[in-house]
Amino acid sequence: SDICHLKNGYAFKSSNYVKEGIPLIRISDIQDGEIVIHNTKKIKHNIKYNNYLIDEGDILIAMSGATTGKFGIYLNKIKAYQNQRVGNFIILDKNILNNKFLFYKLFTLKLYIQKVAYGGAQPNISSKIIENIKIDLPPLSIQIKIVEIIDKLFNVLEKSVNELKKVLEKLIVYRQAVLSDAFSGKLTNKNLKNGELPKGWKYINFGNVVKEFIRGPFGSSLRKEFFVPFGYKVYEQKNAIYQNINLGKYFINENKYQELKRFEVKNGDYIMSCSGTIGKLFNIPQNAPKGIINQALLIIRIDKEKILDNYFFYHFTSQNFQNLIIKDSKGTAISNLAGVKDLKKVPFLYCSLKEQQKIVEEIEKRFTICDKIEEIIKITFTKIDLMKQSILKKAFEGKLIN
């Protein structure tokens, strides 16, 4: 508090949001040390909000919620408004404290801030607690020199990070290229001409390889008042989107489960997201929790006498097949699957089980290499983060200054 004040934001209401206006910086817009404005809500300019304007170079911090303690620097010339529970560090005298020095210093204080914030049931921290933190403060000239050294070292590391991110992007493109070749016949038939299919291959309606489609319950049969703290799981769209069975917090009791048992998820089923983000697929593993799907999901039970699980999954998640699903979707603000009837008619490339197995093996041979590269990159990112922490530690111990 001797060198800066942490100002709280204004409690803007969602009813104030407009299509065109001044960006409103919320906690969700603070990402990886920056403030991202490409997806912000907008507020119409009003002089009464002038005290909550954000300027270029301002440092903002999340003061409540699951990401309490994350912070970022605002690097845009466009004026923005500061939302509630977003703190803005206001430097009292810029001849005493350098803004970028404060920014880097926060990296070393983040763990402490999070530790204090997570002491209660709901993560949050007050301006006063942060303002009472004691720090070592060198003279302004030394602060500037420290910032210059950190900037130089971080820039080298960021170049490496950017190059590695490009490799990850290329791997995504490569994976889709592999799937494209796999489901045109080229991956296992090298001399195939463009537009031709291998002998015995054919396009059939997607519904011909699926035993059953079950769309989630609509209307009043599954409302929030039916949910209980523990019981049978309600599978949500996030389970399909993030390929994670442990996500979700809704459960129903035995009576409701029996009433909605036609929407029951079974081991080996595929659940597909069919509202908003459509086409994401997740295979329900063995020993999955008993439960039902919600209205934003579709159960797909394939005919395993006709199709292999991995062949189905790779075909379904290929970009060409995804494009066909999206093409047949409808909706304006939120995309919705047009319907099971339309999905059944989507063209699906079919071949013998023996050929399917061969295709799966060729795909997985290539994907295994991609997985290894991605793992190496992930490890490298971790090492770079550790290097940054080491640089900051040495910087604020005075070990980087000659």
Side-chain angles (χ1 to χ4, degrees):
S1 59
D2 294 331
I3 54 175
C4 65
H5 165 62
L6 186 56
K7 185 178 74 175
N8 281 296
Y10 181 80
F12 290 95
K13 297 179 181 178
S14 58
S15 57
N16 296 137
Y17 298 165
V18 293
K19 286 187 177 180
E20 298 294 333
I22 295 177
L24 173 64
I25 306 304
R26 300 173 298 163
I27 287 175
S28 59
D29 301 313
I30 305 173
Q31 300 176 18
D32 299 323
E34 293 185 27
I35 310 300
V36 181
I37 66 168
H38 65 268
N39 198 33
T40 58
K41 299 297 181 182
K42 304 290 193 303
I43 298 291
K44 187 177 180 181
H45 173 69
N46 191 315
I47 194 169
K48 73 177 182 179
Y49 304 141
N50 278 0
N51 192 42
Y52 302 97
L53 282 170
I54 297 167
D55 295 318
E56 184 179 11
D58 281 356
I59 300 166
L60 309 178
I61 185 169
M63 300 181 67
S64 66
T67 56
T68 297
K70 71 174 179 176
F71 60 92
I73 188 166
Y74 188 72
L75 297 175
N76 298 278
K77 296 187 182 300
I78 304 169
K79 295 284 187 182
Y81 287 135
Q82 175 192 356
N83 200 32
Q84 63 178 336
R85 304 310 297 153
V86 172
N88 189 356
F89 288 92
I90 307 300
I91 294 175
L92 302 179
D93 187 346
K94 293 187 178 180
N95 291 315
I96 295 176
L97 178 62
N98 177 273
N99 190 62
K100 198 73 177 285
F101 180 87
L102 171 63
F103 175 69
Y104 283 136
K105 186 66 181 176
L106 284 172
F107 282 98
T108 68
L109 301 174
K110 186 177 178 182
L111 286 177
Y112 172 77
I113 291 171
Q114 289 177 334
K115 182 181 178 181
V116 174
Y118 282 77
Q122 175 65 30
N124 69 86
I125 195 162
S126 69
S127 299
K128 187 176 180 180
I129 289 173
I130 294 177
E131 288 176 351
N132 283 340
I133 295 173
K134 294 186 182 297
I135 65 168
D136 294 321
L137 188 69
L140 185 64
S141 59
I142 301 298
Q143 292 178 41
I144 293 170
K145 192 171 183 181
I146 288 172
V147 166
E148 288 173 351
I149 294 171
I150 295 174
D151 278 345
K152 184 178 179 180
L153 295 173
F154 274 26
N155 284 340
V156 173
L157 294 176
E158 280 304 311
K159 285 180 181 178
S160 299
V161 168
N162 290 335
E163 290 302 315
L164 290 172
K165 285 180 178 179
K166 288 178 184 177
V167 175
L168 290 177
E169 290 171 2
K170 287 179 181 178
L171 287 175
I172 293 171
V173 174
Y174 173 73
R175 284 177 184 271
Q176 283 301 327
V178 169
L179 294 179
S180 179
D181 283 349
F183 300 111
S184 65
K186 293 179 182 178
L187 193 61
T188 50
N189 298 269
K190 303 299 180 185
N191 298 320
L192 199 66
K193 294 179 182 179
N194 286 335
E196 285 185 349
L197 286 179
K199 187 177 179 180
W201 291 37
K202 59 183 178 179
Y203 281 103
I204 61 174
N205 287 340
F206 180 50
N208 290 342
V209 295
V210 177
K211 280 187 174 181
E212 194 172 13
F213 294 94
I214 303 173
R215 187 69 188 265
F218 280 94
S220 60
S221 58
L222 188 64
R223 298 194 302 261
K224 284 194 175 181
E225 55 259 41
F226 298 130
F227 297 150
V228 294
F230 303 99
Y232 293 91
K233 183 177 177 63
V234 177
Y235 286 86
E236 302 173 53
Q237 196 168 14
K238 64 178 73 172
N239 297 120
I241 293 173
Y242 298 109
Q243 304 278 299
N244 189 335
I245 202 167
N246 296 317
L247 298 177
K249 58 182 180 180
Y250 298 116
F251 301 89
I252 54 175
N253 62 25
E254 174 73 30
N255 289 339
K256 199 66 184 174
Y257 176 68
Q258 293 300 329
E259 178 189 326
L260 299 175
K261 202 167 182 183
R262 65 188 180 278
F263 305 107
E264 178 188 25
V265 170
K266 297 179 181 179
N267 294 341
D269 281 351
Y270 290 89
I271 54 173
M272 170 189 149
S273 60
C274 48
S275 179
T277 302
I278 64 172
K280 297 298 181 182
L281 194 71
F282 180 52
N283 186 212
I284 300 297
Q286 296 297 315
N287 302 318
K290 281 190 174 184
I292 63 165
I293 57 171
N294 71 3
Q295 72 281 0
L297 288 173
L298 173 73
I299 293 173
I300 300 175
R301 291 189 181 131
I302 63 173
D303 187 341
K304 297 193 179 185
E305 292 182 359
K306 292 181 179 179
I307 190 166
L308 299 176
D309 272 290
N310 285 350
Y311 180 88
F312 166 73
F313 184 82
Y314 289 133
H315 193 320
F316 192 98
T317 54
S318 67
Q319 193 60 57
N320 290 340
F321 193 81
Q322 289 286 304
N323 288 343
L324 291 172
I325 295 174
I326 295 169
K327 181 182 177 182
D328 288 332
S329 66
K330 64 181 180 180
T332 51
I334 298 178
S335 297
N336 293 278
L337 191 70
V340 170
K341 184 178 178 182
D342 299 294
L343 184 60
K344 285 181 177 180
K345 295 178 183 178
V346 174
F348 188 89
L349 188 59
Y350 184 74
C351 55
S352 69
L353 291 174
K354 184 179 179 180
E355 191 71 19
Q356 289 177 35
Q357 183 59 42
K358 187 178 178 183
I359 290 167
V360 168
E361 288 172 359
E362 291 297 324
I363 291 172
E364 292 184 344
K365 186 193 301 180
R366 290 159 176 79
F367 278 15
T368 298
I369 296 170
C370 293
D371 290 341
K372 288 179 179 177
I373 296 171
E374 287 172 348
E375 183 61 27
I376 291 169
I377 291 173
K378 184 179 177 181
I379 292 169
T380 306
F381 281 152
T382 301
K383 288 181 178 179
I384 288 172
D385 284 341
L386 290 173
M387 289 173 70
K388 285 183 174 181
Q389 291 173 29
S390 177
I391 290 167
L392 291 169
K393 184 175 184 294
K394 290 179 180 178
F396 293 112
E397 288 175 348
K399 294 178 180 178
L400 294 183
I401 302 295
N402 294 329

